[in-house]
Amino acid sequence: YRDLHTFELQAPTRLIEWARGNRVCVAGYGQSDGNEILQLIPPPTLLTKETQGLCPERDFKVECGGFSERPVYSLKSVPDTSLLVTSGPPDSSLQVWQVSAEDSDVIKSVSTIATENGTGQSWAKIATISARTPWVLHGSRLDRVQITEIESRKNVYAAASQGSEELSNLAFLDCNTLLLCCATGRLCLADIRQPQCLMEAASVPSAPCGEQWCMGTRHGAQGLEPSSQPVARLSSRGLLTLTDLRKTSEFLALAKARFPSPGSGAEFLCVSWAPALEGYLAISGFDGTVHVYDTQSWDSSGREAEPIFVHKGHTFGGAGGSRDHPLVTVHTWHLQKPRTLLSAATDGSLHIWDWVQPCGKC
C-alpha cells in the first residue's frame, strides 16, 4: 500500500457515494428503524491533489447525518445539488434527502417519490443526473423503469414493457441514453426520446440456472461518446465480460475472476471501472477482498485473469473482533486519484486505500 485509512461505522453499509466537495456518503442497511445516513469528510491527505507526506489527521470525520426508518440499499447523490436519493425495502418507493447548510449537521428527509404498483415490488435500483433538471432513473424490474423529476416528482419517462425481469443495475450513459442490466445478465439500451423502443444490447454466455449478474459502466474521457466506453458485467460464478455497445454481437473480452468459492451468492456483487486509470476495473462481493484487474491484455478466451492487486484489509479483524471473516459489501473508486479506492464490509469497517503501482507498469 501507498496509503490505508480505516473507519468503523456503527452499522454495516452496502453503499458508498461521492458527494459534493469530495465528501463520502454512507448508510446502514439493517432491518430495524433508525438506519444512519452519514456524510463523512475523508482524511486530509485524500483531499489534496498531490500525495502528501505524514499528516497528523488520518481519520474520517462525520460532517452531518440523519436517520432512515427503512434499510438503505441504494444511495445516490444528485450532481450539482445538495440532494441525496435512497431506496430500500419494503417497496420500490424513493426517499429524497437534503444535506443541510454549513450551519447545521442534519441530513433531513424532504420528500418521497411513490411508484405505481410499488407495493410488493422489490427495492428500486437508482441513478441520477442533472443535465436538464435533477432527474432520478429508477426501477426494480424491466417493465417498471421510469425517470422522475426530483423536485416536482413529475414522471418524465417510462420505458416500454419488455418483460418483468429483475434489474441489478441501471445507468445514464448521457442525458438521453439509458443502460439497463437484468439480474440474468441481459443488457438493454433505451432512448428517452423514443420511449416505445427498448433495444436488447447484448446477451451473456450460457450459464447455470440461477446465476446472477451485475454491471459497471465507465464514464468516458472528455470528447468520447458514452457508447464507446466498454460495459463490464460480473456473474456470481466470477465470470467477467467486456462489451462495446457499438458492436454487441461479440465480446471485447471474456475472463474468469480468481476467487476461492464463487457462486456463494449475489447480494453484494460489485464491478466498477477506474475513472482515472485506463482499462482498470475492480470487483468484490465474493469474500472479504477487493480485486483490481488490468483488462488491457484480456482476450475472448475466458481464461482465469490474474489480479494486479488484492485488498485483504477487511479480512484481518474488524468491529467487534469477530472470528468470522467479513464480506465486502461495496467498493468505489476515488474520482481523481487513479489508484485510490474505498471499500466497506459487513462488520462496519470502511477502508480507503491506495496501492503501489506494480513493477514494470510505471
Side-chain angles (χ1 to χ4, degrees):
Y1 294 98
R2 177 176 286 115
D3 212 351
L4 170 64
H5 303 267
T6 66
F7 185 73
E8 300 300 337
L9 300 166
Q10 293 300 310
T13 178
R14 61 184 294 157
L15 46 95
I16 304 170
E17 175 74 0
W18 287 102
R20 289 196 309 171
N22 261 337
R23 292 335 193 225
V24 177
C25 292
V26 297
Y29 66 88
Q31 296 302 314
S32 59
D33 292 345
N35 294 283
E36 282 189 307
I37 300 177
L38 301 175
Q39 180 165 287
L40 308 175
I41 302 175
T45 54
L46 270 301
L47 299 177
T48 59
K49 291 185 177 180
E50 300 296 331
T51 301
Q52 302 294 310
L54 292 175
C55 181
E57 293 288 339
R58 297 185 57 82
D59 291 331
F60 289 87
K61 288 185 177 180
V62 177
E63 185 174 36
C64 52
F67 290 94
S68 170
E69 294 182 354
R70 60 171 66 201
V72 181
Y73 278 28
S74 185
L75 180 153
K76 295 291 180 183
S77 64
V78 182
D80 305 318
T81 74
S82 57
L83 298 175
L84 304 173
V85 182
T86 64
S87 66
D91 55 37
S92 58
S93 65
L94 309 180
Q95 290 69 50
V96 182
W97 305 80
Q98 174 81 52
V99 179
S100 300
E102 293 180 2
D103 59 347
S104 173
D105 59 359
V106 176
I107 297 177
K108 60 181 180 179
S109 175
V110 292
S111 65
T112 296
I113 298 175
T115 53
E116 238 181 286
N117 301 320
T119 304
Q121 296 289 325
S122 58
W123 60 280
K125 283 67 178 179
I126 54 179
T128 56
I129 196 171
S130 291
R132 297 179 175 90
T133 58
W135 283 358
V136 57
L137 169 66
H138 57 104
S140 59
R141 295 189 175 274
L142 195 56
D143 58 353
R144 302 288 180 188
V145 175
Q146 60 189 71
I147 296 175
T148 302
E149 193 175 83
I150 294 174
E151 294 174 349
S152 68
R153 297 194 290 266
K154 177 184 176 182
N155 188 310
V156 296
Y157 167 84
S161 177
Q162 293 286 330
S164 58
E165 293 177 60
E166 184 180 352
L167 291 172
S168 59
N169 307 89
L170 37 72
F172 282 102
L173 294 181
D174 56 33
C175 60
N176 292 313
T177 314
L178 319 174
L179 184 62
L180 318 174
C181 180
C182 298
T184 58
R186 179 185 177 195
L187 280 183
C188 291
L189 275 169
D191 191 316
I192 66 172
R193 297 163 295 189
Q194 301 174 13
Q196 298 307 310
C197 180
L198 193 64
M199 183 182 73
E200 183 163 349
S203 59
V204 292
S206 57
C209 182
E211 184 174 28
Q212 302 287 296
W213 291 79
C214 68
M215 76 166 180
T217 57
R218 183 173 185 267
H219 297 291
Q222 212 168 20
L224 289 180
E225 291 294 324
S227 60
S228 70
Q229 303 304 303
V231 176
R233 280 174 289 176
L234 171 67
S235 83
S236 53
R237 282 193 303 141
L239 192 64
L240 280 155
T241 70
L242 307 185
T243 304
D244 186 334
L245 295 178
R246 299 168 301 177
K247 189 177 181 181
T248 61
S249 59
E250 59 188 49
F251 296 114
L252 281 176
L254 192 63
K256 188 78 167 57
R258 179 183 294 179
F259 276 99
S261 56
S264 58
E267 183 180 6
F268 301 120
L269 279 184
C270 184
V271 56
S272 64
W273 286 102
L277 203 60
E278 185 68 31
Y280 283 62
L281 60 76
I283 65 173
S284 64
F286 295 96
D287 56 17
T289 65
V290 181
H291 288 204
V292 178
Y293 293 91
D294 180 358
T295 69
Q296 294 177 87
S297 62
W298 287 9
D299 55 30
S300 57
S301 66
R303 65 174 181 263
E304 187 175 81
E306 182 76 27
I308 63 165
F309 188 81
V310 178
H311 175 60
K312 300 180 180 179
H314 294 285
T315 65
F316 297 106
S322 172
R323 290 185 176 183
D324 295 330
H325 288 318
L327 178 66
V328 171
T329 56
V330 69
H331 71 266
T332 190
W333 294 79
H334 194 286
L335 299 179
Q336 290 88 33
K337 292 179 178 291
R339 290 184 295 279
T340 299
L341 293 93
L342 289 87
S343 54
T346 51
D347 63 349
S349 59
L350 175 65
H351 291 181
I352 186 163
W353 41 279
D354 188 341
W355 86 90
V356 176
Q357 186 73 20
C359 294
K361 294 282 187 180
C362 299

